[in-house]
Amino acid sequence: MADDLTPNDSAAVAEPLPAPRGRRPVYAKAYEGRFSVAYLSLAVVVAGAIIAFAVLLKTRDANGTRWSTWKPTAGGLDGSRQIADHVGGRYRGAAGTQLTTNLVAPFTIQSTEISRIAVRNDTRGQDNVFYSYNFPANVPYTLCGLQSRCSIAGKASRPRGRLVRRQAFEIALYTFKYIHGADSVIEYLPPAAGYQLTNVLFLRKTEVEDQLKRAFVTTLPGDGPFAISTKLPDDPAIDQMLQEHVFRVDYTQIPDGSVLAVLTPREIQS
């Protein structure tokens, strides 16, 4: 074992000592790897800045100002739920309590998936238009008054109905502005006491492009909370805007086993 650790004298004589080391010349090729990493890091930073700038533009109106004073802190399903809760807290019934509790639902009917929306254009069923029901392309909301079948306590009235529709419109605007990929919303509206939940508001993003380009308060002014007795300057505009977007909803199962939500315009309902 000791012999293994002892230097070999003959080898030491035969093998000359190396010359003192000087600095080896460094060529440009030695830096190629470093430059590649640096360029890659710079590209990541620039891409992040572009994405952040795009998000900033999306949340501002055509004049470059912030679109709304409030926005959800999450996207997707969680963001949709934040929108439902935030808007619900801004609308009050006759007793001062929250008008509706807003849910992101339903996705199924009797445990069967709702896959598509069919909008009927006339009573003969011709010129039907189909849309996806799948999240996030479509975001379903239910505005529930927490009474039987989601009706609202107290006497139904035109001002209360208008307040419900205004709330639904507000939910739609926030959804289109802040939920990535949302192309439409379907919102189930509270029925009158004793009736089934059969009326929905259906809006597509393309139908409110002008409202999404200008500040939220120019479309729906006021800080809230809003009550049935609140007189709002946008009441006539809300009535006009939403008149053709409230439908009766029925369901039918299609051959793939899923359910089709069939929307019929009110003016052609039998």
Side-chain angles (χ1 to χ4, degrees):
M1 180 69 73
D3 292 340
D4 293 338
L5 299 176
T6 303
N8 187 307
D9 292 340
S10 60
V13 172
E15 191 73 32
L17 295 174
R21 292 185 178 180
R23 295 195 61 172
R24 292 167 51 191
V26 180
Y27 300 99
K29 195 168 184 178
Y31 289 104
E32 288 181 358
R34 300 178 190 176
F35 284 140
S36 297
V37 173
Y39 287 139
L40 179 60
S41 300
L42 181 60
V44 170
V45 171
V46 171
I50 292 173
I51 293 172
F53 184 65
V55 171
L56 180 64
L57 288 179
K58 180 178 173 13
T59 59
R60 292 177 179 268
D61 66 14
N63 297 320
T65 58
R66 189 167 55 178
W67 186 77
S68 64
T69 57
W70 177 89
K71 66 177 183 178
T73 59
L77 197 56
D78 288 341
S80 301
R81 287 171 176 150
Q82 289 182 17
I83 291 170
D85 291 342
H86 169 74
V87 176
R90 286 164 47 82
Y91 290 84
R92 301 283 160 178
T97 56
Q98 189 167 315
L99 187 64
T100 63
T101 296
N102 302 329
L103 311 170
V104 183
F107 293 97
T108 62
I109 293 294
Q110 296 180 348
S111 300
T112 302
E113 174 195 11
I114 307 173
S115 62
R116 306 189 78 186
I117 298 168
V119 180
R120 297 176 58 198
N121 290 339
D122 60 40
T123 53
R124 297 183 303 278
Q126 297 177 347
D127 300 323
N128 296 332
V129 183
F130 293 88
Y131 303 95
S132 171
Y133 195 97
N134 297 322
F135 186 91
N138 177 73
V139 185
Y141 293 96
T142 295
L143 281 60
C144 186
L146 298 185
Q147 299 297 305
S148 175
R149 297 169 180 167
C150 279
S151 61
I152 301 173
K155 185 178 180 181
S157 65
R158 185 179 297 274
R160 192 176 79 177
R162 179 182 290 123
L163 202 63
V164 169
R165 291 190 297 274
R166 188 185 197 271
Q167 179 183 190
F169 188 41
E170 182 171 335
I171 288 173
L173 291 179
Y174 276 120
T175 300
F176 293 140
K177 193 68 178 182
Y178 294 119
I179 303 302
H180 179 70
D183 296 320
S184 65
V185 296
I186 185 169
E187 302 185 54
Y188 293 77
L189 305 177
Y195 288 85
Q196 296 283 353
L197 196 158
T198 55
N199 287 325
V200 299
L201 174 73
F202 180 67
L203 270 175
R204 293 172 294 162
K205 187 175 184 178
T206 55
E207 294 168 327
V208 293
E209 287 180 343
D210 289 343
Q211 288 82 359
L212 296 175
K213 291 177 182 177
R214 55 178 182 259
F216 173 82
V217 294
T218 63
T219 302
L220 296 177
D223 297 327
F226 306 107
I228 295 173
S229 59
T230 305
K231 298 298 182 182
L232 295 168
D234 56 54
D235 283 349
I238 291 296
D239 287 344
Q240 181 66 29
M241 172 69 194
L242 302 182
Q243 183 176 7
E244 62 185 51
H245 298 289
V246 177
F247 300 84
R248 175 186 172 87
V249 61
D250 296 287
Y251 303 96
T252 185
Q253 194 164 24
I254 55 179
D256 67 2
S258 66
V259 168
L260 186 69
V262 181
L263 307 188
T264 304
R266 291 184 303 168
E267 62 269 19
I268 64 172
Q269 292 176 17
S270 57

